[in-house]
Amino acid sequence: MGKCSILSPAVTGNLNHLMKLDAVGATPVGRKPLFGLDAVALASRMADLGEPLWRGRQLTEALYRQWVAELDQITTLPLALRGRLRIEGWEVGRPAIEQVFRSVDGTERYLVRGSGTDARTFETVWMPEGDGGETGDGSEEEAKPWSRATICVSSQVGCAVNCQFCLTARLGFQRNLSAGEIAGQVVAVLDRHGVEVGRDRVNLVFMGMGEPFLNYDNFMAAVRLLVEEVGLSPLRMTVSTSGIVPGIERFAQEPPELRPKLAISLNAPSDEVRGEVMPINRKWPIAAVVDAVRQVKLRPRERITFEYVLLGGVTDRPEHAAEVAQLVQRTGLPAKVNLIAWNPGPELPYTTPKPETAEQFRAALAARGIPAYVRKPRGRDIYAACGQLKRTVEA
Ligand code: SAH
Ligand code: SF4
């Protein structure tokens, strides 16, 4: 079915469908969710109803600061106005967590229902770290069971990019998430864990299902909402791309106060190997990606992250580490490398290297002056780890 028709162009080398940054099926139609509209759009909805602009501000606060789930919870708006919104078909329409899978390591994977009329769900992951422990001051206040956390955010249902090692790729491309769905999955998770924005340490990584730079406008509109309305810092956000050059070039134009940090999925030591495991490399080879990344004006102390999936025998050999070190050095970019031992998926033809192999690879990079880290796999048992977001209901 759809899966094959999506997979085939990339396999045959025809990647023209990836040139359009906002491919098919952008925003779901048929419903009228308020969540996802920015402050200007909300004010103009209010103006349409003959209401003053400050009503728009109240609506914005309710959606993005108070995290209301129903129109009736917006008590700052008069009852009659809420009624008129409902009659006109408006709803809060924030994505809802429909199912939760919990890992032994505390990671949670959520099946999220979006605001589209289709039945498609997508996935979001919560990765808590550390232990809040006792409050220590004898107060009654209940400490959170984590001291910081990372939310892994999806940007599309499925993915068209077809990396050979990634389970999400097996879904093929199904549809883009709207800005409200991208930002809304974050708010749903913040709400579930009682996160206090501005106080708790929560990082966002746009590394869930999909390729954010093939849904560029919705992705950046979501970032804007999360920064300007929800109050999260873009310095605590990282977007990862498989190397969509026109997307990176647009990203380089974003203002520093809105731009998340950038991670590039390098995943191979050379164009030759990368072209095998990531067919997208045949369209945009490593040098083209690096040239685009150079256009990004980094903030003080900011570094580009290169992600590197260690595939047993394919990308994890000592000579590969030497090549990666050289490649990264040649870019001249302030960079670090995140090594990810491959997370297994059914029917994928790879093996996971031993922890010692990952450690040797890291040490080989470090010895050549490249800061490198081995990423701890999170939630593998519930298929929540990198590249495993596909299984949806069965865990
Ligand atoms: N589409 C974007 C972001 C989502 S994938 C991208 O590819 O960058 C997030 C990261 O997971 C990428 O670096 C990707 O290379 C990595 N990844 C994919 N499948 C994986 C797997 N099975 N095991 C480990 N990492 C994987
Ligand atoms: Fe898509 Fe990223 Fe998976 Fe590649 S690794 S198929 S770009 S989600």
Side-chain angles (χ1 to χ4, degrees):
M1 36 161 275
K3 183 170 133 185
C4 297
S5 61
I6 294 294
L7 295 181
S8 55
V11 171
T12 56
N14 176 3
L15 293 160
N16 287 336
H17 65 298
L18 297 178
M19 276 306 276
K20 277 185 71 184
L21 290 189
D22 293 290
V24 236
T27 314
V29 288
R31 284 173 64 184
K32 289 167 82 174
L34 291 166
F35 199 102
L37 299 180
D38 65 13
V40 173
L42 289 170
S44 85
R45 289 296 83 77
M46 287 288 119
D48 292 346
L49 292 168
E51 295 289 329
L53 288 184
W54 50 267
R55 288 274 182 227
R57 201 9 70 198
Q58 289 178 322
L59 196 47
T60 310
E61 290 274 319
L63 292 171
Y64 302 118
R65 296 280 174 172
Q66 293 150 19
W67 302 340
V68 296
E70 302 290 337
L71 282 180
D72 273 335
Q73 292 170 337
I74 316 180
T75 48
T76 46
L77 299 187
L79 198 62
L81 180 54
R82 282 179 257 156
R84 282 163 66 205
L85 280 169
R86 193 174 299 105
I87 287 165
E88 293 213 347
W90 292 101
E91 57 179 329
V92 169
R94 187 181 90 190
I97 295 174
E98 205 158 76
Q99 227 175 318
V100 179
F101 302 94
R102 198 156 208 282
S103 160
V104 288
D105 68 16
T107 298
E108 290 184 346
R109 176 167 67 93
Y110 310 110
L111 217 62
V112 182
R113 168 132 343 247
S115 42
T117 45
D118 58 0
R120 291 197 179 100
T121 50
F122 53 92
E123 304 190 5
T124 310
V125 180
W126 162 263
M127 293 168 279
E129 293 273 1
D131 188 338
E134 304 292 324
T135 47
D137 58 1
S139 73
E140 294 288 302
E141 196 187 328
E142 207 179 305
K144 294 195 168 82
W146 44 272
S147 56
R148 64 193 181 91
T150 302
I151 302 175
C152 182
V153 185
S154 290
S155 54
Q156 299 180 313
V157 185
C159 186
V161 180
N162 197 25
C163 303
Q164 300 294 296
F165 46 79
C166 173
L167 208 50
T168 306
R170 295 297 169 109
L171 283 172
F173 172 72
Q174 306 209 347
R175 75 164 169 85
N176 281 333
L177 296 184
S178 66
E181 289 175 318
I182 299 172
Q185 62 189 295
V186 175
V187 169
V189 175
L190 296 175
D191 197 5
R192 172 180 168 84
H193 292 280
V195 171
E196 292 164 79
V197 173
R199 205 175 141 211
D200 292 329
R201 287 172 64 197
V202 174
N203 296 310
L204 302 188
V205 291
F206 294 89
M207 300 187 187
M209 284 180 156
E211 168 49 62
F213 286 0
L214 288 177
N215 184 17
Y216 191 88
D217 287 334
N218 291 345
F219 156 69
M220 264 320 289
V223 168
R224 216 167 290 126
L225 285 175
L226 290 166
V227 172
E228 291 177 345
E229 306 306 345
V230 178
L232 301 173
S233 164
L235 295 170
R236 290 195 167 277
M237 301 178 189
T238 303
V239 60
S240 172
T241 178
S242 55
I244 308 295
V245 165
I248 302 170
E249 287 171 345
R250 278 182 78 180
F251 188 72
Q253 304 304 316
E254 300 293 345
E257 63 278 12
L258 272 185
R259 183 176 60 69
K261 294 188 284 184
L262 181 61
I264 302 290
S265 294
L266 178 62
N267 292 343
S270 61
D271 279 323
E272 198 191 343
V273 182
R274 198 169 187 265
E276 289 297 316
V277 296
M278 298 178 71
I280 189 82
N281 193 75
R282 298 179 213 152
K283 185 166 191 74
W284 291 298
I286 298 171
V289 173
V290 168
D291 278 351
V293 172
R294 280 213 187 86
Q295 298 173 22
V296 179
K297 282 188 241 20
L298 297 178
R299 288 158 290 216
R301 291 184 303 282
E302 185 178 352
R303 285 184 294 182
I304 297 289
T305 301
F306 288 104
E307 291 166 284
Y308 192 93
V309 181
L310 294 162
L311 304 169
V314 180
T315 62
D316 69 342
R317 294 210 291 264
E319 61 268 30
H320 296 147
E323 280 181 84
V324 171
Q326 245 191 7
L327 195 160
V328 172
Q329 262 156 0
R330 275 203 311 264
T331 68
L333 293 164
K336 64 169 173 160
V337 176
N338 270 348
L339 300 168
I340 317 168
W342 182 68
N343 295 307
E347 294 167 44
L348 296 182
Y350 296 104
T351 57
T352 306
K354 292 199 190 80
E356 307 86 86
T357 312
E359 172 49 28
Q360 280 159 12
F361 204 100
R362 185 204 64 75
L365 292 177
R368 291 170 173 87
I370 310 285
Y373 307 86
V374 179
R375 284 239 305 247
K376 196 166 68 181
R378 299 294 309 264
R380 265 189 193 162
D381 54 335
I382 54 159
Y383 279 89
C386 294
Q388 291 190 313
L389 300 186
K390 176 213 169 188
R391 301 212 92 208
T392 57
V393 254
E394 336 89 81

